[in-house]
Amino acid sequence: MRKYLAMMLLCCATFLTAQTTPGKHSVKLLDVNTKEADFGVAFLGKDKIVFASPSDKVTIIKRVWRENGQAYLDLYMGDVDSLGGIINKRKLEGEANRKLHEASLVFTKDLKTVYFSANNYNEKEKSIRGKKGFDNIQLYKASVNKEGLWSNITKLPFNSDDFQSGLPSLNVDETKLYFVSDREGGFGKTDIYVVDIRNDGTYGDPVNLGPKINTEEREMFPFMSDDNILYFSSTGHAGYGNLDVFASKIFDNTVSTPLNLEAPINSPKDDFAYILKEELQKGYFSSNRADGKGDDDIYYFSEDDELFIECLQTVSGVVKDKETQALMPGTIVQVLDMDGNQLQITAASEEDASFSFKLPCNTDYQLVAMSDGYLKLETPVKTVNDLEAPDLVQDLEMAQDFIMVGDELLVNINVIYFDLDKYNIRPDAAAELDRVVEVMTKYPELKIMASSHTDSRAEEGYNMKLSEKRAKASLDYIVSKGIDATRITSQGFGESQLVNDCNDDKVCTEEQHQLNRRTNFKVVEQIRIRETSKP
């Protein structure tokens, strides 16, 4: 078996950590197998598969491959029954099968394109031999019509007559093609590579997956799952002997240590061509183990437990007062998902007001800090999609609930601005008004006044009425959020309290005028700020 597969491709941080848990499988030998080599299943839609099996062409002289005395491989289709078996085996029609080997393929999700491995042919289907005299396996692409017939068969541009390229697999969004090659510059006898598929249909340069995946021996049969786990077979990683199936998660710039899938997927014989439908936790692999029907056989498997490979990144920081930069030990810090569900919670350290969380990689979160006397702080963070990256440091600077401006005590929010000649509440203003609601909810005895202003353009009387409408709009918004209307009053000041010298006698920019179209919130009844509580 190993010689056969070899000939198919060689014819003549705090830290980030990966946690892995192998799934438990049950396997079944399929009746569709022959006494010769059957292997390399590919999914074709929801209920069909395609696989390689010996050619059934009838000729006066049987066409066999001299390397193992077996018939050349052709591609066959089968239907999947309710138990995972392959029934109604029939050969793919049209240009899919030619004179020599065709095997190991992958279809795009729309079933309009197929990538596959085959011997090196020219347009007249005559073998092309490289410098060493072998017709090396090449990667091809073809169009597939509604009847399943192939056309426009072309070699991919990164093939060469002088080395092998084959065994293709696509990632979930079909922007990357994984394949195997023995080209120069690799780590071993055959390595796994990846190439970008650009939007215009061209390809990037092949990139070796590196020494975490590839060894001095053979890495073969890549299959990329929807959650970016690479399943592949190897004779170089420690296992049961010969080819074993391994799994490694691919991150942006790093990969996890390959995990042996163990028995019953792996055996002392060759085990390879593992594919998986994740939503069903079922799939197929191939093996030449002793209980089979012949050379290589196709096995069906189902998983009891899903394979779990997780990247964790440390998110850490220090909580401080925004104005004074004083440390704030004891501050409650939460991690929320993007739906607002609490995932983790801690208190900032009493020694240095620090906090730390370990969170799954490549995910968006909200850090929420809460402390008496301070506005709730919500800060978005996104963990990276890499192992071995440094900690994500996010210090939290919290603003006090109130601030003194001159001789006035104001609710400590960003100034609320209005558009020219408008009094509707803009989205940025609504976010600040929500902070006012937060403070008034926190202090039930608090009473405030909304003070609104305009710029100097238009008549004074008009501006006074406009500012009153702005103050009333702010008040109405706060009351609509459940605050008692008796706790808030409003007053318009027109253009009488400009924050700059943009009066009628001076030409100002729109940005300067904007500073005057504002509302703030003054405390009109003294309150008692509660002592900070500890968790």
Side-chain angles (χ1 to χ4, degrees):
M1 159 63 200
R2 181 163 45 184
K3 179 179 179 182
Y4 178 78
L5 289 176
M7 296 304 292
M8 277 290 292
L9 279 173
L10 298 171
C11 288
C12 310
T14 309
F15 58 95
L16 291 123
T17 177
Q19 299 178 352
T20 57
T21 303
K24 296 179 180 179
H25 303 80
S26 58
V27 305
K28 177 177 66 174
L29 177 67
L30 299 185
D31 293 336
V32 74
N33 291 297
T34 69
K35 292 182 180 180
E36 296 184 356
D38 306 275
F39 69 93
V41 172
F43 295 118
L44 180 60
K46 294 182 179 180
D47 54 5
K48 291 181 175 58
I49 63 171
V50 175
F51 58 99
S53 191
S55 173
D56 59 4
K57 292 179 181 177
V58 178
T59 58
I60 296 175
I61 301 175
K62 186 177 181 182
R63 297 175 62 253
V64 298
W65 187 32
R66 60 186 174 86
E67 298 298 334
N68 66 357
Q70 295 187 14
Y72 281 97
L73 293 168
D74 280 339
L75 295 172
Y76 291 79
M77 179 191 302
D79 300 315
V80 178
D81 65 24
S82 60
L83 299 177
I86 303 173
I87 58 176
N88 302 325
K89 175 183 175 182
R90 63 270 194 196
K91 182 178 290 189
L92 291 187
E93 299 178 355
E95 297 184 41
N97 291 307
R98 295 182 290 180
K99 289 182 180 179
L100 301 181
H101 286 303
E102 293 83 25
S104 298
L105 68 165
V106 61
F107 293 91
T108 55
K109 289 185 175 63
D110 62 9
L111 306 182
K112 294 181 179 180
T113 303
V114 62
Y115 296 90
F116 66 101
S117 306
N119 286 97
N120 195 5
Y121 290 102
N122 60 23
E123 293 180 357
K124 296 181 180 180
E125 292 195 24
K126 291 185 178 180
S127 294
I128 300 174
R129 298 186 179 276
K131 294 178 181 178
K132 296 183 179 180
F134 305 120
D135 55 341
N136 291 308
I137 295 297
Q138 305 283 278
L139 274 172
Y140 295 81
K141 177 183 177 181
S143 301
V144 185
N145 67 16
K146 293 181 180 179
E147 288 70 41
L149 298 178
W150 296 11
S151 62
N152 303 320
I153 296 176
T154 58
K155 292 179 187 176
L156 298 188
F158 44 88
N159 285 301
S160 170
D161 297 342
D162 297 322
F163 55 74
Q164 314 278 349
S165 298
L167 307 180
S169 180
L170 292 166
N171 67 337
V172 64
D173 60 6
E174 300 176 351
T175 59
K176 295 182 183 294
L177 179 70
Y178 292 80
F179 66 97
V180 176
S181 181
D182 64 344
R183 63 190 61 209
E184 291 185 0
F187 291 88
K189 297 173 182 177
T190 58
D191 283 6
I192 299 175
Y193 290 79
V194 62
V195 63
D196 290 331
I197 304 174
R198 302 188 180 111
N199 291 333
D200 62 1
T202 60
Y203 301 87
D205 295 325
V207 176
N208 190 293
L209 290 192
K212 202 79 166 279
I213 298 294
N214 295 310
T215 68
E216 295 180 354
E217 295 299 322
R218 302 192 193 282
E219 279 66 51
M220 308 175 73
F221 292 96
F223 171 76
M224 213 47 184
S225 71
D226 288 350
D227 60 353
N228 237 33
I229 294 178
L230 173 70
Y231 296 90
F232 66 100
S233 290
S234 172
T235 58
H237 293 283
Y240 289 57
N242 297 322
L243 284 170
D244 271 4
V245 181
F246 294 84
S248 182
K249 190 155 187 175
I250 305 295
F251 300 97
D252 285 347
N253 299 296
T254 51
V255 298
S256 66
T257 300
L259 173 72
N260 189 297
L261 292 196
E262 303 178 353
I265 295 297
N266 289 320
S267 71
K269 295 292 186 177
D270 288 304
D271 308 292
F272 59 99
Y274 180 101
I275 67 170
L276 171 69
K277 272 195 180 297
E278 289 177 276
E279 69 273 18
L280 301 177
Q281 291 184 246
K282 298 176 182 179
Y284 299 88
F285 71 98
S286 303
S287 179
N288 65 345
R289 60 188 62 185
D291 65 357
K293 289 188 176 183
D295 188 326
D296 302 321
D297 293 301
I298 298 171
Y299 289 79
Y300 167 81
F301 71 84
S302 60
E303 290 184 333
D304 296 326
D305 299 314
E306 185 178 358
L307 179 66
F308 180 72
I309 299 178
E310 184 181 31
C311 167
L312 296 176
Q313 183 178 17
T314 297
V315 178
S316 61
V318 173
V319 186
K320 304 176 182 178
D321 184 293
K322 184 176 182 179
E323 295 299 322
T324 67
Q325 294 295 294
L327 297 178
M328 295 178 58
T331 299
I332 300 300
V333 184
Q334 299 172 292
V335 178
L336 307 183
D337 64 20
M338 299 313 291
D339 293 324
N341 301 308
Q342 179 180 294
L343 303 178
Q344 297 184 43
I345 186 170
T346 190
S349 165
E350 292 293 338
E351 289 75 23
D352 57 7
S354 64
F355 64 91
S356 179
F357 300 100
K358 288 183 180 179
L359 302 174
C361 297
N362 197 33
T363 308
D364 292 300
Y365 301 95
Q366 285 277 356
L367 291 180
V368 179
M370 295 178 292
S371 182
D372 281 349
Y374 288 82
L375 294 170
K376 180 171 66 174
L377 177 64
E378 297 179 332
T379 302
V381 293
K382 180 179 177 62
T383 51
V384 299
N385 189 35
D386 271 314
L387 301 166
E388 302 173 10
D391 290 358
L392 175 57
V393 178
Q394 180 63 65
D395 289 343
L396 302 178
E397 297 188 349
M398 301 188 67
Q400 295 184 25
D401 289 333
F402 306 98
I403 184 173
M404 290 297 300
V405 177
D407 58 355
E408 292 184 335
L409 181 65
L410 303 180
V411 178
N412 189 13
I413 63 170
N414 294 320
V415 176
I416 293 173
Y417 292 113
F418 294 86
D419 292 329
L420 177 63
D421 201 27
K422 303 289 185 182
Y423 58 89
N424 60 291
I425 302 300
R426 302 188 324 201
D428 60 330
E432 298 304 319
L433 289 173
D434 288 339
R435 290 179 175 269
V436 177
V437 173
E438 174 194 336
V439 172
M440 296 192 75
T441 302
K442 188 186 298 186
Y443 304 101
E445 69 274 31
L446 175 65
K447 292 184 179 181
I448 63 174
M449 181 179 73
S451 303
S452 292
H453 308 265
T454 70
D455 61 34
S456 62
R457 291 174 289 186
E459 296 295 328
E460 288 187 11
Y462 180 86
N463 283 338
M464 183 61 71
K465 291 180 180 179
L466 179 59
S467 67
E468 290 171 353
K469 290 179 180 178
R470 288 174 176 172
K472 182 65 164 52
S474 301
L475 182 153
D476 289 343
Y477 182 94
I478 293 171
V479 171
S480 74
K481 298 295 183 177
I483 299 300
D484 189 336
T486 62
R487 297 176 58 198
I488 180 171
T489 56
S490 64
Q491 184 174 352
F493 291 86
E495 59 181 270
S496 64
Q497 297 182 10
L498 301 178
V499 298
N500 51 32
D501 59 355
C502 291
N503 53 39
D504 293 336
D505 298 326
K506 184 174 181 180
V507 176
C508 290
T509 65
E510 177 58 33
E511 289 74 16
Q512 290 171 317
H513 282 303
Q514 171 72 96
L515 297 176
N516 290 309
R517 302 193 301 266
R518 69 198 191 278
T519 294
N520 55 30
F521 298 88
K522 181 174 67 173
V523 175
V524 296
E525 185 165 318
Q526 195 67 22
I527 62 170
R528 177 178 58 87
I529 299 178
R530 292 169 290 177
E531 293 182 1
T532 302
S533 60
K534 306 296 182 182

